[in-house]
Amino acid sequence: MQKITQLSANYGKTVLFTNHIDTVELNAFLGLLYLNGVFKSGNEDPKGLWNADGTGRDIFRATMSLDRFRFLLIAIWFDDPAERELRKENGDRTAAISEIF
């Protein structure tokens, strides 16, 4: 939440995709990340997944806007970045996500 608040200040009050996230939207976001892997779209530009010209995936457009997805991708962290370097120094190669697992 702290990162979302910090980033929201950069955009101003008129931008809607910088609102705070709730549990339902977090689940939707994680689901889109999961689907990204299922569709083997890891190296694909996210913009392509939201295309409405028949080349994109309808589920991505139906779930949230591309701007919101990109914002959440930047804003959501699953660890404390201040402690990440220490964990890396101690040999944890998955320091950014190891707390989850």
Side-chain angles (χ1 to χ4, degrees):
M1 291 290 208
Q2 183 180 15
K3 187 69 174 175
I4 290 177
T5 303
Q6 178 187 1
L7 289 172
S8 294
N10 296 337
Y11 286 96
K13 295 180 181 179
T14 59
V15 178
L16 298 177
F17 63 83
T18 62
N19 295 335
H20 282 278
I21 190 168
D22 61 11
T23 305
V24 173
E25 190 176 26
L26 177 62
N27 286 334
F29 174 73
L30 294 174
L32 290 181
L33 291 176
Y34 182 77
L35 283 174
N36 193 30
V38 168
F39 293 139
K40 299 185 184 334
S41 305
N43 295 327
E44 186 177 344
D45 179 21
K47 187 177 180 181
L49 296 170
W50 269 262
N51 280 343
D53 62 2
T55 61
R57 309 268 185 196
D58 294 336
I59 189 71
F60 286 85
R61 285 191 313 279
T63 305
M64 69 180 59
S65 72
L66 175 59
D67 288 336
R68 180 64 172 168
F69 180 80
R70 285 181 171 167
F71 177 77
L72 293 176
L73 203 55
I74 293 168
I76 295 178
W77 295 1
F78 293 102
D79 74 329
D80 181 2
E83 297 176 4
R84 186 182 304 163
E85 289 304 316
L86 178 62
R87 288 194 311 271
K88 282 184 181 179
E89 289 172 6
N90 291 334
D92 186 358
R93 295 182 350 180
T94 61
I97 59 170
S98 62
E99 291 293 320
I100 296 172
F101 298 103

